[in-house]
Amino acid sequence: MLLRSVVLIVCATGCPNLPTASELGEPQILALVADPPCIQPGASAHLEAVVAGPSGTLVPSSIVWSVPAGSVGAIEASDVRADVDASPGALIEVDVAVDAGGVTLHGFRTLTVGVCANPVLAGITVDGVPAPASSAVTMFSSTSVDLDVSIDGGLAAEPIVSWFSTAGTIRLYRHTPTELVVRDAPGAGALYVIYRDGNGGVAWLEHDVQVASP
């Protein structure tokens, strides 16, 4: 999955410490998920946009999906359908415009005509301990924690793992394992992990984070 995102920053002298993409300093599309990520001829897949910003997960006020003219697929609401005569291996490009957090975000991804499935995230670990699925993860301010991800069935050969958090700074946000440097200020935050298996499959998890004083 690819997102069209171009940011140009021009500093005359002394650039400030601007937030990185992983710190969610502004609304952005974290992932575009298709279920299933491959479509058989005549079948359809459901599309979902994962969007977050400084306040955490954002519920879009509007999502418009489209496919270019001449595509071997068509859009019906949030579902993309492959033509009945689409050839195996053909690609369907899907564009999206998302209104969320007071801005309009654009992205796109491709789906393959064929058979494949999304991976399943078993969970994440924080300092080697599985994070609870139903309660917030507590982290102490001004410390650092190690993050890793677990996949049902094991990691793909060439996965792409992306981390995002409003609770601090990710040192290597497109790598696993990685490290989160927890922010100084106590309070609520969020942690996201997006896992791409390299074959169009996408899985993601969101965790609430509570930053506490040491």
Side-chain angles (χ1 to χ4, degrees):
M1 186 277 289
L2 299 173
L3 301 181
R4 290 183 181 131
S5 179
V6 179
V7 179
L8 176 63
I9 301 174
V10 179
C11 298
T13 58
C15 286
N17 291 324
L18 298 172
T20 66
S22 66
E23 292 177 83
L24 298 173
E26 58 186 12
Q28 59 182 302
I29 299 172
L30 305 190
L32 298 177
V33 184
D35 187 23
C38 298
I39 318 174
Q40 297 190 62
S44 62
H46 183 71
L47 301 168
E48 174 191 12
V50 181
V51 187
S55 61
T57 301
L58 298 175
V59 178
S61 58
S62 172
I63 301 180
V64 178
W65 303 93
S66 61
V67 296
S71 174
V72 296
I75 289 289
E76 300 173 3
S78 294
D79 296 310
V80 57
R81 178 177 295 277
D83 294 346
V84 293
D85 57 353
S87 300
L91 301 179
I92 304 173
E93 181 178 307
V94 180
D95 294 277
V96 66
V98 179
D99 291 335
V103 299
T104 299
L105 306 169
H106 296 273
F108 81 99
R109 66 158 293 160
T110 56
L111 294 86
T112 303
V113 177
V115 179
C116 66
N118 284 315
V120 177
L121 280 176
I124 66 170
T125 60
V126 180
D127 283 339
V129 179
S134 58
S135 60
V137 178
T138 299
M139 300 179 183
F140 294 105
S141 60
S142 305
T143 62
S144 64
V145 296
D146 294 325
L147 302 174
D148 206 349
V149 64
S150 299
I151 305 295
D152 285 351
L155 296 177
E158 296 183 5
I160 300 173
V161 180
S162 302
W163 300 86
F164 303 85
S165 183
T166 63
T169 303
I170 306 289
R171 288 202 183 276
L172 297 171
Y173 86 98
R174 287 187 174 173
H175 189 273
T176 197
T178 191
E179 182 182 5
L180 169 66
V181 180
V182 185
R183 69 177 188 227
D184 297 336
L191 174 66
Y192 303 85
V193 58
I194 312 296
Y195 178 91
R196 299 178 177 89
D197 64 10
N199 294 312
V202 181
W204 68 285
L205 283 176
E206 172 191 0
H207 276 278
D208 293 329
V209 174
Q210 184 64 43
V211 178
S213 299

